[in-house]
């Protein structure tokens, strides 16, 4: 007897969220087609290969690896048999503008020693802060991250949990209640920047990141983040499903209020029973769905959304190595709150900056030619609401970053550069199709989190679903993978469809 045809799901985008969604859809019994605009899979986790260097374009900090392991387990496999993930120690070196630094790790004894080097009087406050962070982890991550906030009643049900976390206060204010030293306040409040949030604005619920790292560690996938993407792509194919590169979606088809497929840039129509969008939600609603089908996500509402910051990223390789530079280094500039105000509120490109310097070859020799190093350096910058002309300002900004690195942690490195290229907010807009060139979707303020964030099940179009950084629960590898798990709770059972698509 011939097996019944499976209902067809289209997944737009092959980032971590899209691939995780494809695997979960396949495990539920859907036939899946993943459509990727770029010439390789990964979305924001795209990989550039130049001159023997492997440059991960996107996320480089792997936390909560158990969420990835779940995806392999759904396919009856073990992640460890396909990708080697190694722990980082320390997680980061946080270097202040005066040359002092804090080595941040998951070792409680080491962390107490580091805190004591700066302010012994803050040791008790540090412990109290982590008690609060662990509460946020239990309530905010374990309790909310993988559940869809689909109805207003879902929000009402967790209001007592928001109250227990004092979620209306910012993470910086939470840190400041317990820790007095200004440098330590930076150390324990910067984490929301990893997911596009201003520590002075985002809800203190994001202290869960501090606890998440302590509990599960910070890791690196040998071969680069692209090794994880390749592993997930293999899982999708192993389920008998399809992935296509160079397949840009130009329109989501809607008939009778229901998503029925997509139209590609080449004019091809692809029919489906459901559509899952891993793209930027604001851009997708505004550009892929006709206005007459959008009652909630109107152009006016999208314009009122507060977008996250964007990023300026300079990728470069060197013909010599810099063993004094750790795998992950955060270089704090001379200003903290004031710089963040320039980025998030004034939308102004400042003359100073704070930087994340990534040297994966410190851990993984495979990402650079022998005797060489691979780097990228990332600066948070305002999104395109700033009006900055990056075609004019990009190179001077890169040169300023180069001077700063040469004056601080890598003296004279420019004469050893072998490869060099940049990504600006224009690339986020034009290449990655992100509204306002924002790197992380809507800014993760309390008023744009959980039920207030674009829903995993579209509020406007039936059988249209959202995963990725700009839907619930938010950005970062754990967040986008969790969005695919939250998706499961609102997916229709494949059995409800009368399959008509071959």
């Amino acid at each position: 007897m011939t097996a019944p045809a499976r209902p067809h799901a289209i997944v737009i985008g092959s980032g971590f969220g899209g691939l995780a969604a494809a695997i979960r859809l396949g495990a539920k019994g859907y036939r899946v087609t993943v459509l990727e605009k770029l010439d390789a899979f990964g979305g924001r986790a795209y990989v550039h290969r130049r001159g023997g260097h492997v440059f991960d374009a996107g996320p480089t900090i792997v936390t909560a690896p158990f969420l990835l392991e779940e995806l392999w387990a759904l396919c009856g496999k073990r992640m460890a048999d396909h990708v080697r993930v190694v722990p980082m120690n320390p997680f980061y070196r946080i270097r202040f503008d005066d040359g002092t630094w804090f080595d941040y790790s998951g070792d409680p004894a080491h962390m107490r020693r580091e805190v004591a080097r700066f302010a012994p009087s803050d040791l008790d406050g540090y412990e109290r802060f982590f008690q609060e962070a662990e509460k946020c982890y239990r309530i905010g991550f374990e309790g909310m991250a993988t559940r869809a906030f689909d109805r207003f009643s879902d929000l009402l049900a967790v209001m007592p949990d928001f109250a227990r976390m004092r979620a209306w206060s910012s993470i910086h204010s939470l840190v400041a209640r317990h820790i007095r030293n200004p440098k330590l306040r930076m150390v324990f409040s910067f984490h929301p920047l990893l997911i596009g949030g201003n520590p002075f604005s985002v809800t203190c619920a994001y202290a869960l990141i501090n606890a998440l790292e302590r509990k599960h560690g910070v890791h690196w996938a040998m071969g680069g983040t692209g090794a994880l993407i390749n592993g997930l792509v293999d899982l999708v194919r192993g389920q008998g499903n399809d992935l296509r590169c160079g397949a840009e979606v130009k329109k989501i088809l809607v008939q009778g209020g229901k998503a029925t497929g997509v139209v590609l840039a080449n004019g091809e129509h692809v029919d489906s029973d459901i559509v899952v969008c891993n793209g930027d939600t604001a851009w997708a609603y505004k550009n892929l769905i006709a206005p007459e089908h959008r009652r909630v996500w109107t152009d006016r509402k999208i314009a009122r959304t507060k977008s996250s910051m964007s990023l300026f990223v300079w990728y470069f390789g060197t013909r010599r190595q810099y063993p004094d530079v750790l795998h992950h280094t955060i270089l704090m500039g001379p200003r903290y709150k004031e710089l963040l105000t320039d980025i998030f509120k004034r939308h102004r490109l400042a003359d100073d900056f704070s930087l994340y310097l990534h040297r994966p070859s410190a851990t993984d020799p495979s990402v650079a030619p022998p005797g060489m190093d691979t780097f990228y350096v990332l600066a948070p910058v305002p999104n395109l609401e700033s009006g900055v002309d990056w075609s004019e300002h990009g190179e001077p900004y890169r040169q300023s970053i180069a001077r700063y690195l040469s004056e601080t942690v890598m003296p004279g490195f420019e004469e050893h550069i072998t490869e060099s290229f940049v990504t600006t907010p224009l690339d986020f807009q034009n290449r990655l199709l992100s509204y306002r060139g924002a790197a992380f979707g809507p800014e993760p303020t309390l008023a744009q989190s959980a039920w207030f964030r674009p829903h995993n099940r579209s509020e406007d179009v039936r059988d249209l679903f959202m995963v990725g950084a700009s839907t619930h629960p938010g950005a970062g590898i754990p967040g986008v993978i969790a969005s695919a798990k939250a998706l499961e709770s609102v997916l229709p059972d494949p059995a409800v469809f009368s399959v008509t698509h071959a």
Side-chain angles (χ1 to χ4, degrees):
M1 181 180 294
T2 303
R6 295 179 292 164
H8 186 211
I10 288 174
V11 176
I12 304 172
S14 67
F16 276 105
L19 293 174
I23 291 164
R24 291 186 177 277
L25 285 162
K28 276 190 166 291
Y30 283 88
R31 177 172 64 90
V32 183
T33 301
V34 179
L35 301 172
E36 170 55 55
K37 168 184 180 284
L38 302 179
D39 62 351
F41 302 115
R44 296 181 192 190
Y46 187 91
V47 178
H48 302 280
R49 300 177 188 275
R50 301 194 183 190
H53 295 273
V54 179
F55 297 102
D56 282 315
T60 57
I61 296 171
V62 180
T63 54
F66 67 91
L67 289 172
L68 288 159
E69 290 166 352
E70 282 183 9
L71 299 175
W72 263 266
L74 282 172
C75 300
K77 299 180 179 180
R78 294 175 65 249
M79 185 174 79
D81 293 334
H82 299 86
V83 183
R84 183 179 168 217
V85 176
V86 299
M88 297 282 94
N89 187 28
F91 299 163
Y92 324 96
R93 171 164 288 174
I94 302 162
R95 184 189 185 278
F96 302 102
D97 197 53
D98 63 4
T100 58
W101 69 81
F102 185 108
D103 281 349
Y104 196 114
S105 80
D107 179 348
H110 168 85
M111 288 291 282
R112 284 184 62 85
R113 290 193 297 271
E114 287 292 275
V115 169
R117 284 201 301 115
F118 286 86
S121 60
D122 274 331
L123 279 168
D124 289 345
Y126 157 76
E127 297 290 358
R128 291 194 301 272
F129 165 71
F130 258 93
Q131 289 172 5
E132 295 282 348
E134 287 163 3
K135 178 171 67 177
C136 292
Y137 173 82
R138 290 192 303 273
I139 297 173
F141 187 79
E142 294 182 336
M144 300 184 192
T146 58
R147 59 183 289 183
F149 282 79
D150 197 46
R151 298 177 176 85
F152 189 67
S153 58
D154 297 326
L155 173 65
L156 294 178
V158 299
M159 290 301 288
D161 292 330
F162 279 120
R164 282 196 290 273
M165 292 187 289
R166 297 185 182 180
W168 55 84
S169 60
S170 74
I171 188 169
H172 188 272
S173 67
L174 170 62
V175 173
R177 279 205 303 271
H178 300 291
I179 294 172
R180 299 182 61 86
N181 182 273
K183 291 179 179 177
L184 295 180
R185 287 180 173 181
M186 292 186 217
V187 165
F188 296 109
S189 68
F190 82 88
H191 285 82
L193 288 164
L194 302 176
I195 58 169
N198 180 352
F200 292 88
S201 301
V202 304
T203 166
C204 66
Y206 285 104
L208 69 84
I209 302 174
N210 302 72
L212 176 75
E213 288 184 341
R214 175 186 274 191
K215 185 176 182 65
H216 300 290
V218 170
H219 300 78
W220 172 253
M222 298 300 283
T225 312
L228 291 169
I229 293 295
N230 292 338
L232 295 174
V233 166
D234 288 344
L235 292 180
V236 175
R237 286 181 172 144
Q239 292 175 312
N241 290 317
D242 298 323
L243 304 99
R244 296 171 56 184
C245 290
E248 180 180 353
V249 172
K250 298 298 286 186
K251 183 179 182 180
I252 295 174
L253 296 169
V254 181
Q255 295 180 7
K258 176 191 182 314
T260 60
V262 300
V263 180
L264 304 186
N266 64 4
E268 178 185 355
H269 284 58
V270 185
D271 295 330
S272 67
D273 295 286
I274 68 171
V275 175
V276 177
C277 182
N278 182 216
D280 179 78
T281 52
W283 195 94
Y285 276 120
K286 187 173 178 64
N287 294 281
L288 300 185
I289 302 171
E292 60 265 28
H293 301 304
R294 292 187 277 121
R295 177 180 54 84
V296 175
W297 288 103
T298 62
D299 288 355
R300 183 178 179 183
K301 179 170 181 176
I302 292 168
R304 291 201 306 265
T305 299
K306 291 183 178 180
S307 299
S308 76
M309 66 188 182
S310 192
L311 302 172
F312 180 93
V313 191
W314 176 28
Y315 307 86
F316 61 94
T318 59
R319 64 174 56 90
R320 56 153 292 191
Q321 295 180 330
Y322 293 84
D324 292 337
V325 178
L326 303 189
H327 191 127
H328 300 298
T329 304
I330 294 165
L331 299 104
M332 292 291 189
R335 303 184 302 152
Y336 187 50
K337 183 177 183 178
E338 294 81 2
L339 175 62
L340 294 173
T341 299
D342 281 340
I343 293 170
F344 285 91
K345 298 185 182 302
R346 299 190 184 111
H347 301 290
R348 169 181 172 271
L349 183 63
D351 294 329
D352 59 321
F353 34 67
S354 290
L355 305 171
Y356 161 50
L357 180 61
H358 178 229
R359 180 181 169 242
S361 41
T363 301
D364 187 352
S366 74
V367 301
M372 297 187 181
D373 260 341
T374 293
F375 291 92
Y376 82 43
V377 59
L378 174 157
V381 295
N383 62 48
L384 291 175
E385 282 191 292
S386 66
V388 172
D389 182 351
W390 284 100
S391 64
E392 175 186 343
H393 289 276
E395 178 56 18
Y397 196 71
R398 185 202 66 79
Q399 292 174 4
S400 295
I401 291 172
R403 283 193 298 272
Y404 184 81
L405 292 179
S406 189
E407 291 167 359
T408 54
V409 294
M410 298 174 63
F413 79 101
E414 287 182 273
E415 63 186 74
H416 301 290
I417 289 176
T418 58
E419 299 289 336
S420 175
F421 61 101
V422 302
T423 291
T424 77
L426 283 175
D427 295 291
F428 281 95
Q429 173 184 262
N430 299 333
R431 187 168 184 270
L432 297 173
L433 305 183
S434 182
Y435 182 62
R436 295 174 178 151
F440 303 92
E443 184 182 350
T445 60
L446 182 60
Q448 295 187 161
S449 296
W451 185 82
F452 299 105
R453 206 164 179 83
H455 292 187
N456 300 107
R457 172 161 49 189
S458 173
E459 303 96 309
D460 285 320
V461 179
R462 283 186 293 114
D463 294 331
L464 172 64
F465 303 88
M466 302 290 175
V467 294
S470 52
T471 185
H472 173 73
I477 293 178
V480 299
I481 294 176
S483 74
K485 193 169 183 178
L487 171 71
E488 282 193 314
S489 65
V490 291
L491 277 176
D493 189 307
V496 306
F497 294 102
S498 174
V499 178
T500 58
H501 311 303

